[in-house]
Amino acid sequence: MTGPNDSEWRERFLRGDKDVIEEIYRQTFEDVRRAAGTVLHEPADRDAVVHEVYVQLLSSRELRASHRGGQMGAWLGAIARHQALDFARRESRLVDLSAIDQASTKIDPLEDLRREMVRFASRLDPERQELIRLRYVEGMTQMEAAAKLGKPRSTLEDWEHQFKRALAAHVAGKRPANDGKEPH
């Protein structure tokens, strides 16, 4: 991405060129998601705000024209945080703004990852959930986990490969059709 300082890029950005907006989306998504998450802890609420930020970026020339330079992720993150505050006020879910301000300065990136992993793993069937627990929580080898589950080690190896592909797709924002389960 050339960027906001390049006049051709800036003109394409102001016009709402879909390629430029898509590039911005890819590069700023995590910043925007994190900013909304400092206010909204419910994933569905946070995702709704993030979606709205990018819809507005795509559809509003006025919003695009308000960008005066600097880090695009920080600018969109500030917009997301303000929209999240508005959302929380509308939904009466905001209890103490000072607590949110303190929480936003003490973000633990691993906590967000843990919540996302739990949410992802909850979609898997019970045997695969047990495999994840045995291998990645208890630290068993594949052989030990295979014996405990009564499955061939090669089956667990296949499950782990499927799990890793499904997790990578989940993290990238895509949801595979089989959610890490064996193909039909």
Side-chain angles (χ1 to χ4, degrees), residues 70-163:
Q71 292 290 327
M72 188 68 69
W75 176 65
L76 290 172
I79 292 169
R81 187 167 191 282
H82 288 288
Q83 287 189 4
L85 286 166
D86 290 343
F87 180 92
R89 285 184 188 110
R90 277 193 317 271
E91 297 296 316
S92 301
R93 294 182 183 162
L94 189 60
V95 284
D96 181 7
L97 286 176
S98 64
I100 288 172
D101 287 338
Q102 288 173 352
S104 68
T105 61
K106 299 177 185 175
I107 297 172
D108 178 7
L110 291 178
E111 186 57 35
D112 192 36
L113 177 62
R114 283 184 202 103
R115 278 195 302 267
E116 198 61 29
M117 287 295 295
V118 167
R119 190 173 81 141
F120 172 77
S122 70
R123 294 191 333 237
L124 301 176
D125 68 54
E127 279 188 314
R128 285 174 176 76
Q129 286 181 24
E130 180 66 6
L131 170 63
I132 291 168
R133 187 184 67 73
L134 294 174
R135 292 277 289 135
Y136 302 106
V137 176
E138 293 188 17
M140 287 186 178
T141 66
Q142 269 186 353
M143 293 298 288
E144 292 168 333
K148 178 102 175 172
L149 292 171
K151 300 280 184 190
R153 189 205 56 79
S154 60
T155 298
L156 270 54
E157 184 176 24
D158 288 342
W159 286 3
E160 285 184 33
H161 286 297
Q162 291 166 1
F163 167 75

Side-chain angles (χ1 to χ4, degrees), residues 88 126 171:
V171 168

Side-chain angles (χ1 to χ4, degrees), residues 4 8 15 21 26 30 39 67 79 88 101-102 105 137 145 160 170 177 182:
E8 180 185 338
R15 282 194 320 260
I21 303 298
R26 290 177 193 275
E30 287 304 319
V39 177
H67 180 256
I79 292 169
D101 287 338
Q102 288 173 352
T105 61
V137 176
E160 285 184 33
H170 177 79
E182 291 184 34

